Amino acid sequence: MMTSSRFTFHASRSTFALALLTLLLAAGWTPAPQEGEAVIVGQVTNGTPDGVLPADLPIALHAFSGMEEQESYTTTLAADGSFRFDGLSPEEGEGFVVRVVYQDVTYVSDLGAFEAGQQELSLPVTIYETTEDPAAVLVTQLHIFMTGSGDWLQVGEYYLISNTGDRTYIGVEDSEAGRRVTLTVTSPAGAENAHFDNAGLGERFLEREADFADTEPILPGTATAEVLFNYDLPYREGLRVERAFDVPVASVVLVLPDEAMVLEGTGLTAEGTMDTQMGPALSY
């Protein structure tokens, strides 16, 4: 049930070679990389206690230079959960990420890069089983930024979303959205120009009749998902803004760069001035 909140010895030579090959294979031997070639290895683990590792799970390796993808490679998961990409020739400054899709959810490794003289890089990946139960999901931090601009109040809401469980929350099928929905974000009454940064409407976020639906799965861990939502409100003295959420919210910080504005409300505590990219700002 939804909880709501407010506000990765002696023998013939051929016999000897065959025996050696058999021994090496039994020991899980893999050839050392040739001079000048690099290898990326890793282990996929399932972070859910009763989780499994599917045989022959596809593994993808992506090479990036800056923000541009340069090459990609594919292999399959070994029975022991390991994977290996041989014969790589990384360029200076190139970064690598391993990607695994399990039960329609994408999991990625940390971004890794080869240092000078390094020939082997390890990029492990953790996958999880899934759940439709949102009980372990919460907004760890919500920052609301408000700026006055003429007759308008520009509002930005930045969410850090966590999952305290051991399964990825995938939400439930929504007939109106036509996809699985994990969270909903509503606009206050009278809001205009509502939009999301990065993946916008029609991609990650879907507009419904009364709110916006987030379709991003929420992986276990702290701050594994984030949302940046912006909108404008007609500005007037005494403006009342109400926010309601379908999961618990652990912490809310409201920031006003404009010292000519003040906030009042039940439970609000003035925390003084903080430094922001826009200069000093009042926080509550």
Side-chain angles (χ1 to χ4, degrees), residues 204-246:
R204 171 179 169 181
F205 300 96
L206 306 177
E207 187 171 8
R208 303 191 295 189
E209 184 176 346
D211 54 33
F212 299 93
D214 188 357
T215 62
E216 184 87 348
I218 303 172
L219 278 57
T222 301
T224 54
E226 58 182 27
V227 174
L228 181 52
F229 178 51
N230 300 277
Y231 53 88
D232 299 332
L233 287 169
Y235 178 66
R236 67 179 186 276
E237 187 174 346
L239 176 66
R240 179 183 178 90
V241 181
E242 275 195 13
R243 306 301 289 120
F245 310 95
D246 51 9

Side-chain angles (χ1 to χ4, degrees), residues 136 142 272 275:
L142 168 59
D275 292 328

Side-chain angles (χ1 to χ4, degrees), residues 36-175:
E37 292 185 348
V39 175
I40 289 180
V41 299
Q43 189 81 22
V44 174
T45 55
N46 193 317
T48 304
D50 58 350
V52 299
L53 285 178
D56 299 327
L57 183 69
I59 310 293
L61 173 67
H62 301 274
F64 292 89
S65 180
M67 298 298 292
E68 297 292 327
E69 183 172 353
Q70 303 299 312
E71 294 179 282
S72 64
Y73 313 83
T74 58
T75 189
T76 54
L77 193 66
D80 63 354
S82 66
F83 60 86
R84 181 182 181 93
F85 292 92
D86 292 293
L88 303 174
S89 300
E91 301 289 339
E92 184 178 352
E94 203 167 37
F96 295 87
V97 167
V98 172
R99 178 176 58 86
V100 180
V101 178
Y102 177 57
Q103 294 187 350
D104 296 325
V105 179
T106 299
Y107 300 91
V108 297
S109 68
D110 290 336
L111 177 66
F114 287 89
E115 298 181 357
Q118 184 180 4
Q119 287 186 274
E120 183 173 297
L121 180 65
S122 178
L123 295 176
V125 182
T126 302
I127 63 176
Y128 299 90
E129 301 302 314
T130 60
T131 181
E132 295 183 347
D133 184 354
V137 176
L138 76 157
V139 176
T140 309
Q141 294 182 33
L142 168 59
H143 287 77
I144 302 179
F145 302 87
M146 298 181 177
T147 307
S149 178
D151 295 332
W152 295 90
L153 180 66
Q154 298 175 334
V155 184
E157 299 184 356
Y158 178 60
Y159 300 74
L160 288 177
I161 305 165
S162 302
N163 180 345
T164 62
D166 54 26
R167 292 174 178 265
T168 295
Y169 175 55
I170 56 173
V172 295
E173 289 286 348
D174 182 270
S175 57

